[in-house]
Amino acid sequence: MKLATLRTGGNSTTAALAMGADAYLPLPAPDVGALLSDPEWRNAVEAIAAAASDADVVHASAAELAPLLPQAGKVICCGLNYSDHIREMGRELPEFPTLFAKYADTLTGAADAIEVHGSSKVDWEAELAVVVGLPLFRADEDQARHAIAGYTVANDVSMRDWQNRTLQWFQGKAFDATTPVGPVMVTTDDADGDFDVRGYVNGELVQSGNTSTLVFSPARLLSYISQFTVLRPGDLVLTGTPGGVGMGMKPPRFLNDGDVLTTEIDGIGRLENSVRIHQNDAGAAVRTPVTATSTKE
Amino acid sequence: MKLATLRTGGNSTTAALAMGADAYLPLPAPDVGALLSDPEWRNAVEAIAAAASDADVVHASAAELAPLLPQAGKVICCGLNYSDHIREMGRELPEFPTLFAKYADTLTGAADAIEVHGSSKVDWEAELAVVVGLPLFRADEDQARHAIAGYTVANDVSMRDWQNRTLQWFQGKAFDATTPVGPVMVTTDDADGDFDVRGYVNGELVQSGNTSTLVFSPARLLSYISQFTVLRPGDLVLTGTPGGVGMGMKPPRFLNDGDVLTTEIDGIGRLENSVRIHQNDAGAAVRTPVTATSTKE
């Protein structure tokens, strides 16, 4: 099963990909996370799908993808996790996962433009992301594996100038609406095991890796994180990026205004995001505060 | 005005401290963050207070304090911010604030026991925390100052063994229910300017600082953070800790099971938390997953 979150006017709805990926069947939950919070969600979706007719679906060409998990309570990321990349950099394999946090505001949709203000070193990190399906707290790896609802595609777009201003990466990793996630979550019964992860800039392949070389597997990451904090349905864990980021190139290479970033995992789907880079100016530095109900500008 | 969040059975309510700190007047919002989301909250509180009688209040001895902001969307912390402490360590004053993230799950109440599993290096960090009162995005310092709803007391209790496992501090800073926050938020019209921040272990003064020596003031921190992510009413920003943490002592000193940690800011209030430290054992390593609606075990 493939699930998406679609924009519907000012709101959103979750939907199941139907009819061989040509159409979405809307489901009665505002997003994938809300759907997963119902322990009976699989049965509910199957019943709705069985009763659906062609009139119930939204054709893919008319669907606008929201961030897959616009209300994710936790978005936890792992750095330095591809052993081939770590070895090629001459480093030792880590004993513990390097973890950092984002917020739901950091996420954006699979086809959205990524708008960055005030950074001149915008870099890419194509990643497999894991969607939590069951509550987990101090779980072992088997419990964690069982709690994975499915997988999706993410790009941990990183503002390297901000990331490296201090020892803590957070500020360069948490720019609002800069981490595309989607287009769908594929449930573990439809896709599991190892995935090929690829990133492209303007159609040129810049990153390619396979999750078989992860030091910390999805289940191990979820188990580890759950030792200190509870994970809940709809939380998202990004599993790290393979070699080929711009910062590691000689000379380093960063995204330019107008570039198109493509992130692809076979069996899940593809993100395609244009990048808009705005240097700070007097007008950009101060903006009218958003209203309390806006999630982003 | 002093506002608290009180536990009421399985729920919570916000309340205003009344009658010279002896009693709380419950208000129609589940927590301080929810109250602040109403732009008219001051008028509403004043109207309720004007109409209240003795029968409406909960005496302080009968009130149980919840974490001040149990649903905070963002809890962003600044490290290395007290210039006297930075200078005594022989470091340069930083150009940019060192920021890291927690989640609302990390917070706990002003009188709660802090239960830690699986760490033997539990350390203290007494801090002034800032409660956001208005939405902020790419705000200047004046806008940010105007958006501060008030101040509270926090202790960024840190599991140094986990914090130092990797370059990123997050995992040692985000153990569920280990950062006490409260007992109240004092609005800026009742307390502003510089604060004395003190931390005690079993009654012994271990930390003492004044926020006049902060490198990045509350308004500057909020303005800086708002350059990359929106802040909303009820979000919390921790401003860093003065000298005197256990890790910096010679030899290093950490909390023991049964210790009492006290954190105090004149004009705001005092946290008093007993500390329970459980070493991991076979039974502690694996627990039954919590239910989807629990916020913590």
Side-chain angles (χ1 to χ4, degrees), chain A residues 74-75 97 102-103 105 117 135 137-138 165 168-169 171 176 224 228-230 232 285-287 289-290 295, chain B residues 74-75 97 102-103 105 117 135 137-138 165 168-169 171 176 224 228-230 232 285 287 289-290 295:
Chain A
K74 289 175 188 153
V75 181
K102 295 174 186 272
Y103 294 108
D105 281 335
H117 289 257
F137 192 57
R138 285 202 232 123
R165 282 180 171 182
Q168 299 303 298
W169 302 342
Q171 61 190 267
D176 279 2
Y224 185 89
F228 62 89
T229 188
V230 64
R232 297 192 185 80
V286 180
R287 302 217 308 205
V290 297
T295 56
Chain B
K74 289 176 188 152
V75 181
K102 296 174 185 274
Y103 294 108
D105 281 335
H117 289 256
F137 192 57
R138 284 201 233 124
R165 282 180 172 182
Q168 298 303 297
W169 302 343
Q171 61 191 268
D176 279 1
Y224 185 90
F228 61 90
T229 189
V230 64
R232 298 190 185 81
R287 303 214 308 203
V290 296
T295 56

Side-chain angles (χ1 to χ4, degrees), chain B:
Chain B
M1 192 184 298
K2 293 187 177 184
L3 298 170
T5 301
L6 305 182
R7 293 198 178 98
T8 56
N11 294 310
S12 66
T13 184
T14 189
L17 201 60
M19 297 169 59
D22 277 344
Y24 291 97
L25 174 65
L27 300 169
D31 59 60
V32 170
L35 181 74
L36 296 178
S37 297
D38 173 5
E40 297 300 318
W41 69 269
R42 279 177 184 276
N43 294 338
V45 171
E46 282 164 10
I48 291 167
S53 73
D54 282 6
D56 297 320
V57 303
V58 177
H59 276 270
S61 60
E64 189 184 342
L65 292 160
L68 187 72
L69 298 157
Q71 305 293 331
K74 289 176 188 152
V75 181
I76 299 180
C77 307
C78 181
L80 309 173
N81 200 14
Y82 278 82
S83 60
D84 54 347
H85 177 53
I86 296 167
R87 288 209 168 94
E88 82 182 354
M89 304 291 284
R91 298 190 193 187
E92 296 290 309
L93 294 190
E95 186 179 359
F96 302 105
T98 298
L99 301 176
F100 58 92
K102 296 174 185 274
Y103 294 108
D105 281 335
T106 321
L107 307 181
T108 194
D112 289 347
I114 296 170
E115 305 254 354
V116 179
H117 289 256
S119 170
S120 57
K121 294 189 175 175
V122 183
D123 201 354
W124 51 84
E125 297 198 354
E127 309 205 3
L128 175 74
V130 184
V131 181
V132 177
L134 293 172
L136 278 179
F137 192 57
R138 284 201 233 124
D140 63 22
E141 262 187 69
D142 279 343
Q143 291 174 316
R145 190 174 297 107
H146 178 66
I148 296 172
Y151 299 98
T152 187
V153 186
N155 200 307
D156 175 21
V157 170
S158 301
M159 283 35 85
R160 302 295 189 195
D161 37 7
W162 288 68
Q163 181 184 343
N164 295 321
R165 282 180 172 182
T166 72
L167 289 176
Q168 298 303 297
W169 302 343
F170 168 71
Q171 61 191 268
K173 298 279 197 174
F175 275 51
D176 279 1
T178 57
T179 296
V181 176
V184 294
M185 180 196 88
V186 183
T187 53
T188 52
D189 51 336
D190 275 351
D192 212 342
D194 298 323
F195 294 96
D196 278 320
V197 177
R198 288 186 298 275
Y200 304 81
V201 176
N202 300 328
E204 176 195 350
L205 181 69
V206 289
Q207 291 192 273
S208 180
N210 186 281
T211 58
S212 62
T213 67
L214 287 176
V215 180
F216 304 99
S217 69
R220 194 161 162 208
L221 278 178
L222 266 58
S223 167
Y224 185 90
I225 293 166
S226 82
Q227 302 310 308
F228 61 90
T229 189
V230 64
L231 293 170
R232 298 190 185 81
D235 286 346
L236 192 65
V237 174
L238 275 66
T239 61
T241 198
V245 300
M247 186 175 62
M249 294 181 173
K250 291 174 183 168
R253 175 177 164 187
F254 299 105
L255 292 168
N256 293 307
D257 185 42
D259 281 351
V260 175
L261 183 64
T262 305
T263 319
E264 193 173 62
I265 299 181
D266 294 338
I268 305 177
R270 177 192 297 194
L271 311 171
E272 192 160 304
N273 302 90
S274 64
V275 178
R276 301 306 315 272
I277 297 177
H278 311 272
Q279 294 311 314
N280 263 353
D281 54 40
V286 180
R287 303 214 308 203
T288 307
V290 296
T291 64
T293 52
S294 302
T295 56
K296 59 196 61 134
E297 286 200 298

